[in-house]
Amino acid sequence: MKIVPAVAVIPLLIILLTWLSLGAIDTGAERSDRALGEMEHFAMLEAALHRDVLSARTGVLRNYDPLVREMNALDASIERLRQVAAGDLATETEVDRLATSISRQEVLVEQFKSNNALLQNSLASFALISSRSGTPSGGGSAAPATSALVAAMLRLSLDTSAETAGEVRNRLDELAALPSQFGNPESGAALLAHGRLLYNLLPATDGILKELIPTPQRKGQQVLRATILSQQSISRATAREFRTMLYLASLILVGLLAYLGWRLHGRAQALRRRAAFEHVIAGISMSFVTAEVQEIDSIVERALADVARCFGADRAYFVLSGPSPQTYAWSRAQIGFSAGWPDQAPLLVERSGSATNGVVHIPRVARLAPGEFQDALVAAGLQGWACACREAANGGGVLLGLDAVTPACRVIPVEDLGLLRMALDAVANGQGRKLLEEERARLEARLHQARRLETVGALASGIAHNFNNIIGAILGYTEMAVEMNVSDNRGYSVLNEIHRAGERARELVDQILTFSRRRDVHHSPVSIHTLVAEATSLLRASLPATIELSLGERLDSEVVSGVAGQLQQVIMNLCNNAAQAMDEVGCIELEVDAIDISTGRSLSHGLLPAGRYVRIAVSDAGRGIDDADVERLFEPFFTTRSTGNGLGLATTREIVNEHGGAIDVTSTVGNGSRFEVWLPRIVTAVSMWADNVPALPLGRGETVLVVEEDPQRLLRNEEILAALGYEPVGVSGAEDAVAMFRESPGRFDLVLVGQLVPISAALELATTLHGIAPAVPILLATAWADQFAANSLVAAGISDVVPWPIIAAEIASTMTDCLQRKHSKSVRRFGVV
């Protein structure tokens, strides 16, 4: 249940509780209590009225004001009963009946007051007159009759039955027959008048009293009371039901609040976890920002450990695919990785088909549907799996994975999956910085190489012709000597070696002139077997007798593309350095083997993409080199010998780099050194002794956009690229290039930006084209390499720099490398969104 819907239910529950609370108040019962109280008050008023009426009847009460007050109070009580009974039809009906009874009582009370006043006056007068007339002196002979009338009247005042009334009538008639016997006739007449009046008033007044105090009226009050009690019972029962529902609703509300509290507590814990994890990510990011490039690998490993601890994972790894694939891994103690894992993780991501925003989360592998995917995860030893992946800055892919291996491990809650993507971004950005730094270093090296070539060309152009003249003389005299010593086989062999050495010298000078004059240089297939054999022959002749040269197993069919003289110079330089490191006493081991690498490899002095290589290794048991000197070993003019000039190894590295290779140096002080030269291997069935064999790496019809302001130079560049197997499309201006690129950016596989004025226009054009199609490599051909900084070249999206005017051999090799890197990016990225 989501928190938001639960929170939305709370107002509804509050409304329900309010309604139930109002229902539980039991206003009906309260109203009934008030009605019953009013009924008690009404009964008391009515009893008081009856008491006062009787008191007035007996003559005890001679003031009728209490009767008036009591009647008014009864009317007021009826009104209050009406108000209390409002809305209750049964009660209102009974109250109306009671009100009708009270109205009738008011009429009777008024009649009673009138009759009783006259009755009391008549009784008083009758008593007074009878007291006088009942004596012999006052009543004469009628005195006995008067006494009998008084006695009958007394009985009539107590009993108004017909028999008693008849006796009074008889006594009145008897007394009326004796008018002359009254001592005072007027008193007799008055006595008879009051007697007859009382004869009529006493029964009439008692009749009013009997009607005023009837038993059925009490029954009406009892019915009303019963009705009120019934309504009260119903109201209380309803209130009890409401209270029961209120209790249940309160329990539900308490349960809901407890649930919300639990969820909020969980959210608070999640927020604390998120805050802690974001703090870890921030620390990782800051570490990458402030770290040196060589420290990034160790920071990645520490970051994996921190991320795994935050998520509670048993294993963590970061996989980088592309031109230079790399894998970093971390695991808890005593928990290792299965064979092929995590290298297979990117493939499983593609096969899972369940990636959401680049994140795959499988809490329980055992709950997956049986199949190859589950089998692969089980084979990797996974109980649970979570990973995030995306495209990397180099066009490949990056993946950050977390594994649950032990049954007790739970790999990250669902709400924390976004944090995994953040962790991936942090590590990938750090790794991307490393790639950018490496790219910047590569471009700086290219710029440095271009500047050195310019310097070498400027220096060499002045002396190359003199060397050619000297070498020409040596070769001329050597040929003459050969002709004069044809019969001497031993001398012929020596002169032939001298002639070969002169040819190599001439070839080297020719290469120097080539760089200085920017002429085309053609690489040719070079047999490794022949190269090593010639170098060995020269070394045996030049090395001291105290140096032993040990050769490993030879390669008969391996071929590299290059310049044989330069490659021979590499072997000579390395072996001569090895001999000097052993003070010209010891054994030099020369080994050559063919190696295929499926992933990129980082050497001590260069990077190798995946491919096929020939490795030439020179080992010695000399003094060795410390780490600080290994770093500077190939710097121009750096030497550890007092007699050295610091150019031999620098030249070696230049030659190896120009041949697309790299060098790896391992050395231990006191135990010797090992220099490995890695050169790209080619496959060819052409004899190494055939003439005019084109060994340049050729294109496969890729379309190249060529930008050059000089029309003649543009035409020449197009001819060179066409001869190399490319389809050039030339434009003579930056605006035309941008327009053509915008119209169909997918048409071009590579861009070659030549000489533009001003020189900053080349960077501006490269920046614009890179923004349109970032995946298309851009080459810059310039004669002013020293005018550009490496950072500006990286920012403009330039992949490589070549000298201008372009040279077929150099542009062919550089374009091949760029296209290979582009192809690697396109085929080794993850297929996830």
Side-chain angles (χ1 to χ4, degrees):
M1 182 178 181
K2 299 291 185 180
I3 287 184
V4 173
V7 172
V9 170
I10 291 180
L12 298 178
L13 280 177
I14 292 175
I15 295 174
L16 176 62
L17 288 175
T18 303
W19 177 68
L20 293 175
S21 299
L22 293 176
I25 290 175
D26 193 8
T27 56
E30 182 181 356
R31 187 168 58 250
S32 299
D33 291 338
R34 290 201 306 269
L36 290 174
E38 196 61 41
M39 285 295 299
E40 294 295 333
H41 182 60
F42 181 86
M44 292 174 60
L45 290 175
E46 191 175 40
L49 176 64
H50 294 168
R51 182 196 64 222
D52 291 339
V53 167
L54 292 175
S55 297
R57 167 67 178 81
T58 59
V60 176
L61 180 65
R62 296 184 177 276
N63 185 359
Y64 295 136
D65 289 341
L67 298 179
V68 174
R69 287 195 302 270
E70 287 160 358
M71 289 304 304
N72 291 336
L74 287 173
D75 290 337
S77 180
I78 289 296
E79 289 302 321
R80 287 193 293 272
L81 285 174
R82 288 184 189 276
Q83 293 175 1
V84 172
D88 187 354
L89 182 60
T91 305
E92 285 181 346
T93 301
E94 295 300 326
V95 171
D96 289 341
R97 291 176 181 174
L98 188 60
T100 302
S101 174
I102 293 300
S103 298
R104 177 59 182 165
Q105 285 189 29
E106 288 183 7
V107 174
L108 294 175
V109 167
E110 290 300 324
Q111 292 178 0
F112 170 76
K113 289 192 297 182
S114 300
N115 291 350
N116 192 61
L118 183 57
L119 174 64
Q120 295 302 324
N121 290 333
S122 295
L123 283 175
S125 298
F126 181 81
L128 179 62
I129 296 172
S130 62
S131 63
R132 293 176 181 175
S133 302
T135 61
S137 60
S141 60
T146 300
S147 297
L149 176 61
V150 170
M153 189 62 71
L154 179 59
R155 287 192 296 273
L156 181 62
S157 64
L158 298 176
D159 180 12
T160 58
S161 63
E163 181 180 355
T164 306
E167 183 180 356
V168 170
R169 186 178 61 250
N170 293 333
R171 297 301 177 186
L172 287 173
D173 291 342
E174 180 181 350
L175 187 61
L178 302 172
S180 58
Q181 296 182 7
F182 281 95
N184 187 351
E186 293 179 359
S187 295
L191 181 63
L192 289 174
H194 283 290
R196 291 189 178 95
L197 181 59
L198 290 174
Y199 169 76
N200 293 321
L201 285 176
L202 283 173
T205 301
D206 285 349
I208 292 173
L209 288 177
K210 290 179 180 179
E211 187 177 355
L212 185 63
I213 311 173
T215 300
Q217 184 172 319
R218 293 183 180 273
K219 292 183 178 179
Q221 293 181 24
Q222 292 175 357
V223 171
L224 177 58
R225 185 184 298 274
T227 302
I228 293 173
L229 289 174
S230 175
Q231 294 298 325
Q232 185 184 51
S233 177
I234 294 173
S235 177
R236 286 179 176 173
T238 303
R240 282 195 298 271
E241 293 177 357
F242 272 95
R243 284 193 292 271
T244 301
M245 290 188 291
L246 178 63
Y247 174 73
L248 295 176
S250 300
L251 291 179
I252 294 174
L253 180 59
V254 170
L256 181 60
L257 291 177
Y259 170 76
L260 288 177
W262 174 71
R263 289 299 302 272
L264 289 175
H265 177 69
R267 284 291 181 88
Q269 288 184 330
L271 288 176
R272 284 195 294 269
R273 287 198 308 269
R274 187 180 185 90
F277 188 72
E278 288 177 350
H279 179 72
V280 171
I281 293 177
I284 293 173
S285 300
M286 288 301 299
S287 299
F288 283 126
V289 170
T290 58
E292 300 293 335
V293 176
Q294 61 271 19
E295 299 175 346
I296 289 180
D297 288 343
S298 61
I299 293 176
V300 171
E301 295 174 356
R302 292 199 302 270
L304 290 177
D306 293 339
V307 170
R309 293 189 186 100
C310 286
F311 284 126
D314 294 325
R315 301 187 306 212
Y317 41 87
F318 176 77
V319 180
L320 172 67
S321 67
S324 301
Q326 199 166 2
T327 300
Y328 303 86
W330 174 91
S331 63
R332 296 186 186 275
Q334 300 179 351
I335 297 179
F337 285 87
S338 303
W341 189 262
D343 295 333
Q344 296 178 355
L347 179 61
L348 287 183
V349 170
E350 297 180 7
R351 291 169 55 186
S352 70
S354 59
T356 303
N357 295 325
V359 177
V360 177
H361 184 215
I362 301 176
R364 286 297 175 198
V365 173
R367 297 177 183 174
L368 291 175
E372 294 182 0
F373 181 64
Q374 185 195 47
D375 294 341
L377 295 178
V378 171
L382 300 183
Q383 300 271 348
W385 187 39
C387 69
C389 48
R390 67 172 177 83
E391 185 176 338
N394 66 345
V398 290
L399 179 146
L400 177 63
L402 299 175
D403 295 347
V405 179
T406 59
C409 182
R410 297 289 187 272
V411 179
I412 68 173
V414 176
E415 60 269 17
D416 292 341
L417 290 177
L419 298 177
L420 183 60
R421 186 62 181 266
M422 292 175 58
L424 171 66
D425 292 339
V427 177
N429 290 338
Q431 187 67 19
R433 175 173 174 255
K434 177 184 176 183
L435 295 177
L436 289 176
E437 290 293 336
E438 292 175 350
E439 183 71 8
R440 185 179 65 84
R442 188 181 66 81
L443 288 174
E444 284 182 344
R446 292 289 295 175
L447 286 173
H448 177 68
Q449 177 186 1
R451 292 165 186 164
R452 286 201 59 197
L453 290 176
E454 292 175 1
T455 303
V456 170
L459 293 175
S461 61
I463 61 175
H465 290 290
N466 292 329
F467 276 122
N468 263 339
N469 293 334
I470 296 172
I471 292 171
I474 292 173
L475 292 176
Y477 284 112
T478 300
E479 291 174 356
M480 294 171 59
V482 168
E483 293 178 358
M484 290 185 296
N485 295 276
V486 174
S487 59
D488 188 353
N489 292 333
R490 184 176 180 182
Y492 177 81
S493 175
V494 172
L495 291 175
N496 191 38
E497 290 296 330
I498 295 174
H499 188 272
R500 283 190 180 182
E503 290 289 346
R504 297 299 186 208
R506 170 176 283 180
E507 186 177 347
L508 179 60
V509 171
D510 184 62
Q511 294 300 315
I512 294 175
L513 287 174
T514 297
F515 288 122
S516 64
R517 296 173 184 173
R518 296 290 189 264
R519 294 188 289 106
D520 289 349
V521 176
H522 295 283
H523 284 204
S524 60
V526 177
S527 169
I528 294 299
H529 174 79
T530 303
L531 177 67
V532 173
E534 292 183 359
T536 302
S537 177
L538 292 174
L539 287 170
R540 292 190 188 281
S542 61
L543 291 175
T546 54
I547 295 293
E548 178 185 355
L549 184 61
S550 174
L551 298 180
E553 182 179 351
R554 296 191 180 186
L555 300 178
D556 295 330
S557 59
E558 302 303 331
V559 177
V560 298
S561 175
V563 180
Q566 292 182 355
L567 296 177
Q568 191 177 94
Q569 182 182 356
V570 168
I571 298 175
M572 297 285 291
N573 285 348
L574 293 179
C575 290
N576 286 327
N577 281 353
Q580 294 169 1
M582 295 186 298
D583 296 327
E584 299 186 351
V585 177
C587 177
I588 299 175
E589 296 181 0
L590 178 60
E591 302 174 2
V592 182
D593 49 8
I595 299 177
D596 296 341
I597 58 176
S598 58
T599 59
R601 183 174 298 182
S602 176
L603 305 183
S604 65
H605 295 80
L607 297 174
L608 289 179
R612 309 170 68 180
Y613 293 90
V614 170
R615 183 179 64 182
I616 304 173
V618 177
S619 304
D620 65 72
R623 294 183 297 271
I625 311 168
D626 58 36
D627 294 340
D629 289 343
V630 168
E631 294 293 328
R632 303 185 57 196
L633 201 57
F634 295 97
E635 294 181 5
F637 308 110
F638 174 78
T639 180
T640 57
R641 301 194 312 273
S642 58
T643 58
N645 56 25
L647 291 176
L649 289 180
T651 303
T652 297
R653 184 180 184 181
E654 290 289 346
I655 294 173
V656 172
N657 288 344
E658 290 171 4
H659 284 74
I663 301 177
D664 192 36
V665 180
T666 56
S667 181
T668 303
V669 176
N671 291 328
S673 305
R674 178 182 175 89
F675 287 73
E676 295 181 355
V677 175
W678 293 69
L679 299 172
R681 193 165 89 244
I682 64 173
V683 179
T684 177
V686 181
S687 172
M688 297 304 301
W689 305 109
D691 295 332
N692 301 324
V693 176
L696 295 178
L698 302 179
R700 299 180 179 179
E702 292 90 345
T703 303
V704 181
L705 177 62
V706 184
V707 186
E708 182 72 57
E709 287 186 344
D710 185 356
Q712 294 182 354
R713 180 62 63 182
L714 175 62
L715 180 60
R716 181 179 179 277
N717 291 345
E718 288 181 316
E719 292 175 350
I720 292 175
L721 295 181
L724 292 174
Y726 297 97
E727 182 182 343
V729 177
V731 292
S732 59
E735 294 181 358
D736 296 338
V738 172
M740 185 177 296
F741 210 67
R742 287 187 188 278
E743 181 178 356
S744 54
R747 173 186 177 187
F748 301 102
D749 300 293
L750 191 141
V751 177
L752 175 62
V753 179
Q755 209 65 359
L756 299 178
V757 179
I759 60 175
S760 60
L763 287 184
E764 294 174 359
L765 175 60
T767 301
T768 303
L769 298 181
H770 183 68
I772 298 172
V776 178
I778 301 176
L779 299 183
L780 175 63
T782 179
W784 302 301
D786 57 344
Q787 300 296 319
F788 299 103
N791 290 336
S792 62
L793 295 177
V794 173
I798 294 176
S799 301
D800 217 327
V801 180
V802 295
W804 184 93
I806 64 173
I807 301 170
E810 187 159 328
I811 194 67
S813 176
T814 303
M815 291 175 68
T816 300
D817 291 342
C818 288
L819 291 174
Q820 286 178 349
R821 289 198 297 269
K822 175 186 176 184
H823 178 67
S824 298
K825 291 179 182 180
S826 63
V827 300
R828 303 203 59 176
R829 64 183 56 174
F830 298 127
V832 297
V833 179

